[in-house]
Amino acid sequence: MQAVCLSTPAAIVRSSVRGRARSKSVVAPRRGGVPSVRAAAEAPAAAVEASELDFAAYIAEKNAAIEQALSDSVPEMYPERLHESMRYSLLAGGKRIRPCLCIAACELMGGTMDVAMPTACALEMIHTMSLIHDDLPSMDNDDFRRGKPTNHKVYGEEMAILAGDALLSHAFEYIGRETPKSVPAERTLRVIVDVGKCVGSEGLVGGQVVDIMSEGAEAGEVTVETLQYIHAHKTGALLEVSVTAGAILAGAKEEDVERLGKYAQLIGLAFQVVDDILDCTQTSEQLGKTAGKDEAVGKATYPSLVGLEESKKIADKLIADAKDLLKDYDQEKAAPLIGLADYIKNRQN
Ligand code: GRG
């Protein structure tokens, strides 16, 4: 079984773990949810190329299907408050980048949306639970997410922790139970293993831990390599497995899974570089979450380590390299993944 994701661990960060409970946000971001990839892709017709319009139409179609599938994936049932809390965050909007990547990769490799959808939903469940837990008072202590009060602000801390836990376990059950029987069981099993790896101590959780440790570090102690480790694990791993899982479910050849994995690593790092840029250039209203937090807590970011202009150049180069990896595929079929790479670079929230 081929291991997915993740670069070589960077230098160990010498730092003490600092207390994480911080002051509450004072600025209420825009309410009503963050625009999805679809909404963001809908630019005035006169100003965009035909290919951009195709991308907008593709994303609009996928996004509607994703929203419906997500709603169906967590029914309203007993215990009502738990399921309400799970649905509150899962259906709070969000750009749905991970499900879109999963479906687009599956379709590029000859699969269908139906084959990828259970995994696409599971990835969004995992992403959502990581946001719920990240916002907790013991972590980032945030009041707003996706333009709405955070889960613990509405349902209380105990329920927010448990809603996150339930979403995490439901995600794996959902892939195993809902992936169409037409998909060979070994492909589904591989996806479950890969997703597990990308979420655990060698993925998201590992990245979050190094991030927390780095916050207590002295200036200069957090290097670009450490930052890359954090980004590759905390953010990149889930984006990467979104792409590779879609390809695996479609029955892609190993070399294609590998190539698409590299594409995903590059857009994953670009995603976080752009996130760092947006944190210091956008308002809380535009972001739907508290802006300027990185600087407020003294976090090392790309702009703080290499400057804003250099950060933009790095993001541009990562996206160009990612798109270059797709050049040998039928460009019409690869258009969604190309469009998603551009979207990650150009997004405003
Ligand atoms: C996964 C078991 C488990 C625990 C969670 C708290 C934690 C461990 C990890 C933190 C992960 C985290 C918050 C990473 C940041 C990723 C990121 C850049 C999120 C923003 O993603 P967008 O912009 O958000 O796609 P939307 O709201 O559009 O979906």
Side-chain angles (χ1 to χ4, degrees):
M1 196 168 289
Q2 190 225 358
V4 292
C5 77
L6 313 186
S7 55
T8 321
I12 294 167
V13 186
R14 279 193 310 110
S15 71
S16 60
V17 180
R18 214 186 55 185
R20 294 273 292 171
R22 290 187 286 267
S23 60
K24 293 173 184 164
S25 356
V26 285
V27 188
R30 172 180 43 72
R31 288 174 185 264
V34 175
S36 62
V37 177
R38 172 193 51 195
E42 281 168 358
V48 295
E49 304 274 332
S51 60
E52 289 179 53
L53 287 175
D54 291 348
F55 175 69
Y58 173 91
I59 292 299
E61 183 204 325
K62 299 305 171 204
N63 227 276
I66 290 165
E67 291 302 329
Q68 185 60 54
L70 284 173
S71 180
D72 295 344
S73 70
V74 179
E76 294 167 85
M77 60 187 276
Y78 183 83
E80 280 86 6
R81 198 155 167 83
L82 171 63
H83 290 93
E84 195 187 307
S85 164
M86 291 161 75
R87 286 174 61 85
Y88 172 79
S89 292
L90 189 64
L91 307 178
K95 296 181 290 294
R96 312 308 192 197
I97 289 173
R98 294 150 193 85
C100 282
L101 284 169
C102 184
I103 292 168
C106 184
E107 290 184 337
L108 174 61
M109 291 293 111
T112 63
M113 180 168 75
D114 289 349
V115 158
M117 191 58 94
T119 300
C121 289
L123 293 161
E124 191 65 23
M125 288 176 207
I126 293 167
H127 170 56
T128 299
M129 76 72 56
S130 79
L131 300 180
I132 295 174
H133 282 196
D134 194 52
D135 291 334
L136 288 168
S138 57
M139 296 257 185
D140 261 2
N141 193 23
D142 240 314
D143 290 355
F144 290 94
R145 173 69 71 174
R146 293 173 164 172
K148 297 170 81 173
T150 42
N151 196 294
H152 66 273
K153 282 278 154 193
V154 179
Y155 295 96
E157 239 181 290
E158 297 97 328
M159 194 61 77
I161 292 168
L162 293 167
D165 292 345
L167 281 170
L168 180 60
S169 83
H170 190 52
F172 291 96
E173 177 195 340
Y174 205 69
I175 300 174
R177 185 161 49 80
E178 298 296 327
T179 299
K181 298 286 170 278
S182 56
V183 177
E186 59 269 24
R187 280 188 210 161
T188 309
L189 182 61
R190 180 174 172 191
V191 165
I192 290 172
V193 170
D194 287 357
V195 173
K197 179 165 175 155
C198 284
V199 170
S201 63
E202 293 179 69
L204 230 146
V205 174
Q208 175 78 346
V209 166
V210 177
D211 192 18
I212 290 170
M213 289 163 68
S214 302
E215 273 181 40
E218 297 294 322
E221 254 189 325
V222 180
T223 61
V224 170
E225 286 72 33
T226 307
L227 203 56
Q228 276 174 357
Y229 178 90
I230 294 168
H231 291 345
H233 292 71
K234 189 178 154 176
T235 308
L238 200 59
L239 290 165
E240 182 175 348
V241 81
S242 301
V243 173
T244 53
I248 289 165
L249 288 166
K253 288 195 288 245
E254 221 41 61
E255 63 190 75
D256 287 317
V257 176
E258 230 170 81
R259 179 184 293 256
L260 291 179
K262 282 188 192 137
Y263 153 89
Q265 282 173 2
L266 293 165
I267 61 162
L269 184 53
F271 184 94
Q272 192 57 55
V273 176
V274 170
D275 222 60
D276 287 356
I277 294 170
L278 294 175
D279 185 73
C280 62
T281 57
Q282 302 290 92
T283 64
S284 297
E285 287 234 313
Q286 288 166 319
L287 294 181
K289 61 181 182 182
T290 315
K293 251 200 136 168
D294 294 340
E295 198 185 342
V297 300
K299 203 176 209 174
T301 63
Y302 268 86
S304 76
L305 291 185
V306 302
L308 195 55
E309 285 316 306
E310 187 58 25
S311 301
K312 287 180 187 164
K313 280 187 202 152
I314 290 172
D316 285 351
K317 171 91 169 69
L318 288 164
I319 293 297
D321 289 350
K323 291 197 306 188
D324 202 46
L325 285 166
L326 303 177
K327 69 177 187 310
D328 291 338
Y329 296 118
D330 177 326
Q331 289 302 282
E332 208 170 308
K333 289 195 182 137
L337 286 184
I338 295 170
L340 282 161
D342 282 330
Y343 170 74
I344 282 170
K345 186 178 73 172
N346 299 326
R347 69 199 175 94
Q348 298 300 310
N349 66 60

